[in-house]
């Protein structure tokens, strides 16, 4: 076998090897989509129980106070449709009080999602106003707290 | 006909995609909160109710201290007042009936005016709380 044949045979074998290598580093591509839909939701932002605190009330005198309650909700959804209180008022320290809450919350926009970052929540703040009417003596032996609930529908 | 069917399928798929893209809604969220208050002042407070001839105090409070009423009523806590009437005894000012929202009533139940040889009998005293 002369040198030319040896070289030729080497080239043929090398081409087979190259072809095999080419097949391993050139895979077929198949694109796919990642999909999801949102079931919008709102949750409270409070880690402890909020308080509508009148503090020390002078008997027979009127007093008002307020508390803010905030929900964080899915970004860009339509927003809460309504808000309600479990009761319009109650009795605390022997004093009758009333409450009200505005139907239109103060909204703080979150951030839209990007290809790199998730969206952040929109916030909705409700202010509950409480009032104790004048002319009430109160009761030093009565309970000094009353449980209530604020509910939003969306 | 084939083109019409293809267009219908496309529009249906587009509508589905748009509907799925809208955030679904429907739910509620609640926050429990407490309402709190306490009665200011040591043992509550009192006020004069001239029209009821009484002093109203916070229910369960300490009530009125010091001199009893003889007649008339003070205009505010600690005021000296002048009235006319008959001193019925040391308990003329009594811790009385409960009226209204949690109010204890210290009633001046005797307000009878009397006339002595000098005319109207006047007493002067102080009520405090």
């Amino acid at each position: 076998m002369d040198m030319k044949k040896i070289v030729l045979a080497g080239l043929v074998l090398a081409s087979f090897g190259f072809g095999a290598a080419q097949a391993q580093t050139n895979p077929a591509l198949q694109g796919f989509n990642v999909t999801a839909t949102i079931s919008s939701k709102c949750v409270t932002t409070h880690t402890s129980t909020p308080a509508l605190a009148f503090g020390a009330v002078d008997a027979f005198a009127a007093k008002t106070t307020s508390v803010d309650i905030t929900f964080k909700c899915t970004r860009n959804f339509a927003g809460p449709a309504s808000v309600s209180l479990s009761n319009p008022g109650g009795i605390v320290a022997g004093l009758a009080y009333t409450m009200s809450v505005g139907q239109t919350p103060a909204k703080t926009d979150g951030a839209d999602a990007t290809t790199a970052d998730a969206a952040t929540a929109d916030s909705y703040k409700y202010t509950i106003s409480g009032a104790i009417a004048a002319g009430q003596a109160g009761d030093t032996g009565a309970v000094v707290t009353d449980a209530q609930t604020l509910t939003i529908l969306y | 006909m084939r083109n019409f069917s293809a267009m219908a399928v496309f529009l249906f798929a587009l509508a589905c995609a748009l509907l799925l893209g809208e955030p679904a809604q429907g739910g509620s969220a609640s926050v429990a909160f407490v309402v709190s208050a306490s009665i200011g002042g040591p043992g509550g407070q009192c006020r004069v109710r001239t029209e009821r001839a009484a002093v109203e105090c916070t229910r369960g409070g300490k009530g009125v201290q010091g001199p009893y009423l003889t007649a008339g009523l003070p205009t505010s806590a600690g005021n000296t007042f002048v009235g006319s009437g008959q001193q019925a005894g040391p308990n003329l000012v009594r811790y009385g009936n409960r009226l209204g929202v949690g109010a204890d009533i210290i009633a001046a139940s005797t307000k009878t005016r009397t006339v002595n040889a000098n005319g109207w009998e006047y007493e002067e005293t102080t009520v405090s709380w």
Side-chain angles (χ1 to χ4, degrees):
Chain A
M1 185 178 291
D2 60 11
M3 185 57 72
K4 285 184 179 178
K5 288 182 179 178
I6 293 173
V7 170
L8 184 59
L11 287 173
V12 170
L13 290 174
S15 67
F16 277 120
F18 179 76
Q22 280 286 85
Q24 288 179 349
T25 58
N26 188 24
L29 300 177
Q30 175 60 58
F32 64 97
N33 294 325
V34 179
T35 63
T37 59
I38 294 293
S39 179
S40 298
K41 193 172 184 179
C42 295
V43 296
T44 177
T45 63
H46 299 272
T47 56
S48 59
T49 304
L52 181 67
F54 286 99
V57 178
D58 287 337
F60 308 110
K63 193 163 190 180
T64 60
T65 189
S66 65
V67 63
D68 292 335
I69 290 182
T70 303
F71 296 89
K72 57 183 179 182
C73 303
T74 302
R75 172 75 176 141
N76 282 328
F77 92 130
S82 66
V83 61
S84 61
L85 293 163
S86 51
N87 293 291
I91 304 291
V92 66
L95 303 163
Y97 68 88
T98 58
M99 296 186 296
S100 63
V101 59
Q103 287 292 315
T104 304
K107 181 186 177 188
T108 301
D109 289 335
D112 289 333
T114 67
T115 54
D117 295 311
T120 58
D122 291 340
S123 294
Y124 295 86
K125 182 176 72 176
Y126 292 90
T127 299
I128 301 172
S129 300
I132 292 174
Q136 301 185 74
D139 188 342
T140 58
V143 294
V144 296
T145 59
D146 194 24
Q148 299 283 6
T149 303
L150 178 78
T151 299
I152 59 170
L153 298 178
Y154 53 87
Chain B
M1 189 66 176
R2 181 179 294 174
N3 286 341
F4 176 77
S5 298
M7 180 63 72
V9 170
F10 171 75
L11 290 175
F12 177 76
L14 180 63
C16 289
L18 289 173
L19 287 174
L20 288 173
E22 281 292 313
Q25 292 185 32
S28 65
S30 296
V31 171
F33 64 99
V34 296
V35 181
S36 63
S38 60
I39 298 295
Q45 291 143 337
C46 299
R47 69 171 177 175
V48 174
R49 296 298 301 272
T50 305
E51 70 276 17
R52 294 182 184 176
V55 178
E56 291 181 342
C57 297
T58 300
R59 175 68 177 158
K62 65 181 182 180
V64 171
Q65 310 294 313
Y68 44 81
L69 288 171
T70 55
L73 288 166
T75 55
S76 63
N79 274 7
T80 297
F81 67 96
V82 176
S84 60
Q86 182 181 48
Q87 184 172 318
N91 295 315
L92 183 60
V93 177
R94 59 186 172 81
Y95 207 68
N97 300 320
R98 181 180 179 185
L99 297 175
V101 182
D104 285 338
I105 304 299
I106 290 80
S109 59
T110 301
K111 284 193 66 183
T112 305
R113 288 185 173 184
T114 59
V115 180
N116 59 22
N118 300 317
W120 292 108
E121 181 177 308
Y122 291 96
E123 295 284 348
E124 182 173 314
T125 188
T126 300
V127 64
S128 62
W129 48 80

